[in-house]
Amino acid sequence: MVFRQNYGLQRAERNRLKQAKKEAKDQERRDAALRRKSGREGDLPIQANTPDAADADASEFSVEAAKQ
């Protein structure tokens, strides 16, 4: 018995391959953008509202409160 070609299955497979290729290309572009942006991090000013600065202030207050 001769089997008929399943064009829907073939088309789905082609679309799946195209989507996988597109996602890989998009991921590579995102990675490249992150690599470019990571080189510029040193140029940004440090904000006072960072969690590290808030933790440092809180520890200073707790030390002062312990002394009193």
Side-chain angles (χ1 to χ4, degrees):
M1 176 192 238
V2 177
F3 292 102
R4 291 183 6 189
Q5 289 185 341
N6 189 345
Y7 292 109
L9 181 65
Q10 291 172 352
R11 182 177 182 183
E13 181 66 17
R14 283 192 310 270
N15 288 340
R16 185 190 65 78
L17 291 173
K18 284 195 289 187
Q19 185 66 26
K21 184 177 178 181
K22 182 180 176 182
E23 288 175 2
K25 188 176 181 180
D26 288 344
Q27 181 64 38
E28 185 61 33
R29 285 183 178 182
R30 284 191 296 271
D31 291 345
L34 287 174
R35 284 191 300 269
R36 284 192 310 270
K37 288 180 182 180
S38 68
R40 290 187 273 180
E41 282 183 11
D43 299 340
L44 298 176
I46 298 174
Q47 296 179 357
N49 294 335
T50 59
D52 296 333
D55 291 340
D57 292 340
S59 63
E60 290 175 10
F61 289 127
S62 62
V63 171
E64 290 176 8
K67 289 180 182 178
Q68 294 177 358

